[in-house]
Amino acid sequence: MANQTLPLWEDSELLLPQRSRLFHLRLEGMGEGHQESLLGYAHRVANAHVVPIVRLLREEVLGRTDMRSAWFTSGFSKKYSKTINGYGKYAVQMSEALEGLTLNEDLRSGTFLYWRGVFDGKGTGLLHPKRRWCANCLTEDAEAQRPIVHKLLWTSFLVDHCPTHLTPLRSNCPSCGLEQLFVSDAVALGRCCHCGVFLGIREGLWDCPAPRPKEKFMVAAISEMIALGARAAELASIEKFVHQIKEFSLYGVDGPVPKLEREVGFRKGSIYRWTGLGKRPQFDQFMELCFRINLSPVQLLDGSWLSTATPWAIHKMEVPIRQHHKILSEAELAALREDVDRLGACDSSYEDAKDVAARHGITMNSFTNRYADIYAKFSQHRLHVRALLFEQRLRRQEEKTIEVVRNLHRSGARLVRAAIELRMREAGMTLKSPRLRAIAFAERTRLESDMSYRNSEFPEGALE
């Protein structure tokens, strides 16, 4: 009996499955147009572990990517981290890292990675520069006790309203009015990363303008693209795109690509750059073409438009007028120099360069390039004035900080950090600033040492 081997332990089907390092959460809304974004999924994973997203990324995720050095550069976590939802290298690395940590397959569906084969490599016109959400969706999720989900659809630059509630997407907190960070330090999902207020509210349709036909088309088309998931990789290729555009030119407008450009109102040679020169279209340009030929990207690329018997209602628009740069005459150039010299004589204020250019009838491009010497003089004065104003503001804050600590000391209150911070916030400042914190604590130390000196020189009862 001692040498007997039980068959139970040899059955490979009964072995324990591999364990994930992080919670095995599923991507919400898979296969639907309102599915969750990858960055929103990372926030939910961090929330499940009750840690801030920044800590989860630094300690668990970034070590599996090449993003560690870039993460600590200026502005990355506030601005460039949005590209995690796109189709660039950060989207690839983040999806692979989270798949390995959660053992959750196909997290790429939380990005636009499956569509990268047809668009330009920079992701131009794809993602919105701000973090946005539908306030009604957050409220419904909270009331139904569902997970707070940040949808991939909300990250698109061309989507400006919720297809469910027909209300505009928000980018500012309803309480403090501040914009939200893409990587929020708040552990509680759906709350402002600055003041902690819940970001969801109830909005009625009577409070919001109705979406226009173009806005409705963009929302429906991008939702269809997201819902396609991994199957989009079969359609998203530049070869298929070029073939379908040429086919549509023949069957839709009965002519070559130049005729299609004229019919839809694109500039001459703009579509030919894609079909003849092999250039990949930007996302917003591609979607604009789809809107004008009245076909969604999925319908265009899969060729289903050939089987329809109904004629195409092409949305023809005017070709944008190319702006010509004005060349200033000698008198106008002298007036511009005189204006810049006049502004340079004042050390207390400066003017915006766009206003100066508009006042003289030139564009900013002309001001900065054609008249570079004048602009350099103007820019140097602006930097000088801004530095002076900054120094003045710093001195006012330093004096105000000392005054706050002294007033608190005169009131007889204890000079603890919480009390100083409260008075500082009432004055529009905070101890989070290292410079103001050092000044406040130095003044506190001086006041406390002065009080202890007086108490040692005049002990209690010595003057009686």
Side-chain angles (χ1 to χ4, degrees):
M1 184 66 182
N3 297 327
Q4 184 177 1
T5 301
L6 297 178
L8 175 66
W9 304 106
E10 296 179 351
D11 193 345
S12 60
E13 296 182 358
L14 297 178
L15 295 178
L16 290 176
Q18 185 180 2
R19 300 303 187 193
S20 62
R21 182 168 178 81
L22 300 180
F23 289 143
H24 182 76
L25 302 182
R26 64 184 182 91
L27 198 67
E28 295 290 336
M30 283 284 290
E32 301 175 356
H34 57 268
Q35 76 174 31
E36 188 175 19
S37 68
L38 180 61
L39 193 55
Y41 175 80
H43 277 83
R44 268 204 315 121
V45 172
N47 181 256
H49 289 271
V50 199
V51 296
I53 177 67
V54 174
R55 181 180 175 185
L56 179 76
L57 293 178
R58 287 178 178 175
E59 297 183 5
E60 295 292 341
V61 182
L62 296 182
R64 295 170 173 252
T65 69
D66 297 333
M67 301 165 57
R68 179 177 294 275
S69 59
W71 188 267
F72 298 99
T73 58
S74 175
F76 180 86
S77 60
K78 296 180 180 180
K79 180 180 179 181
Y80 297 107
S81 55
K82 68 179 181 181
T83 59
I84 292 174
N85 294 325
Y87 54 74
K89 62 178 181 179
Y90 294 143
V92 175
Q93 295 178 14
M94 182 64 74
S95 60
E96 291 177 352
L98 286 175
E99 285 177 358
L101 289 168
T102 63
L103 297 185
N104 195 341
E105 298 180 356
D106 198 21
L107 290 184
R108 290 191 169 202
S109 295
T111 68
F112 288 95
L113 275 172
Y114 289 119
W115 288 94
R116 67 185 303 182
V118 72
F119 301 122
D120 73 315
K122 295 183 178 180
T124 309
L126 174 63
L127 300 174
H128 199 276
K130 299 179 181 179
R131 185 181 182 190
R132 300 180 302 159
W133 63 92
C134 172
N136 283 307
C137 287
L138 296 187
T139 302
E140 290 183 357
D141 289 342
E143 292 177 350
Q145 297 183 350
R146 295 192 298 263
I148 300 295
V149 173
H150 191 82
K151 302 176 182 178
L152 180 60
L153 183 67
W154 298 344
T155 67
S156 175
F157 181 79
L158 300 177
V159 174
D160 54 10
H161 72 277
C162 173
T164 304
H165 303 99
L166 300 181
T167 53
L169 300 181
R170 288 177 165 266
S171 61
N172 299 83
C173 172
S175 177
C176 65
L178 297 178
E179 297 177 354
Q180 302 302 299
L181 303 176
F182 284 101
V183 179
S184 171
D185 289 335
V187 177
L189 295 179
R191 293 193 172 272
C192 176
C193 58
H194 302 285
C195 66
V197 171
F198 184 60
L199 297 175
I201 57 174
R202 285 290 187 184
E203 289 182 302
L205 291 177
W206 54 87
D207 298 327
C208 308
R212 292 171 294 183
K214 185 175 181 179
E215 296 171 347
K216 291 182 179 180
F217 174 86
M218 293 300 176
V219 170
I222 297 176
S223 297
E224 185 181 19
M225 295 171 66
I226 294 173
L228 202 60
R231 293 173 293 167
E234 303 173 2
L235 301 178
S237 67
I238 190 62
E239 295 79 14
K240 189 178 290 288
F241 168 70
V242 170
H243 173 74
Q244 293 297 336
I245 288 296
K246 290 181 178 180
E247 288 291 311
F248 185 86
S249 297
L250 294 176
Y251 289 92
V253 299
D254 193 23
V257 170
K259 184 177 181 180
L260 176 64
E261 294 172 344
R262 295 193 299 269
E263 291 294 329
V264 300
F266 270 47
R267 284 200 183 101
K268 182 179 179 180
S270 55
I271 299 179
Y272 178 75
R273 291 178 67 252
W274 308 333
T275 59
L277 302 180
K279 302 293 184 180
R280 294 175 181 266
Q282 299 178 6
F283 183 80
D284 52 351
Q285 295 173 344
F286 173 80
M287 295 301 299
E288 180 67 26
L289 175 62
C290 290
F291 170 71
R292 295 192 186 189
I293 65 178
N294 202 21
L295 289 176
S296 72
V298 176
Q299 291 173 333
L300 173 64
L301 295 175
D302 66 6
S304 59
W305 55 272
L306 284 169
S307 60
T308 179
T310 58
W312 295 282
I314 294 179
H315 301 147
K316 183 175 181 179
M317 299 182 181
E318 296 295 331
V319 179
I321 300 175
R322 188 179 299 274
Q323 187 177 15
H324 297 281
H325 298 292
K326 177 183 177 181
I327 300 178
L328 298 179
S329 63
E330 291 295 334
E332 292 172 333
L333 184 59
L336 176 60
R337 293 184 185 276
E338 183 180 352
D339 194 8
V340 171
D341 291 338
R342 177 184 59 82
L343 294 173
C346 179
D347 287 340
S348 59
S349 63
Y350 63 92
E351 197 169 346
D352 192 272
K354 292 182 179 179
D355 296 335
V356 177
R359 185 162 58 243
H360 293 271
I362 58 177
T363 63
M364 273 299 298
N365 190 26
S366 293
F367 193 18
T368 57
N369 294 287
R370 188 182 297 274
Y371 311 106
D373 57 333
I374 304 178
Y375 178 79
K377 186 176 181 179
F378 170 84
S379 180
Q380 185 177 5
H381 167 261
R382 180 184 59 186
L383 293 176
H384 173 67
V385 174
R386 292 182 65 177
L388 290 178
L389 296 177
F390 181 70
E391 289 296 331
Q392 294 174 7
R393 183 167 62 89
L394 289 183
R395 286 196 295 269
R396 288 195 300 267
Q397 287 183 346
E398 292 172 357
E399 294 171 357
K400 204 170 185 179
T401 299
I402 295 175
E403 183 182 353
V404 166
V405 177
R406 288 178 179 176
N407 290 338
L408 186 62
H409 176 67
R410 293 192 192 103
S411 66
R414 295 181 58 195
L415 299 180
V416 296
R417 177 170 183 151
I420 298 176
E421 175 68 20
L422 179 60
R423 296 295 178 88
M424 291 279 286
R425 287 186 178 275
E426 292 175 354
M429 301 178 294
T430 178
L431 288 179
K432 291 183 178 180
S433 170
R435 177 181 51 80
L436 297 182
R437 183 170 63 247
I439 293 175
F441 289 171
E443 183 65 17
R444 180 183 66 175
T445 303
R446 190 191 67 81
L447 292 173
E448 290 176 346
S449 61
D450 186 51
M451 179 59 67
S452 62
Y453 171 75
R454 292 185 179 184
N455 291 338
S456 62
E457 186 177 2
F458 302 103
E460 184 177 358
L463 299 179
E464 296 181 359

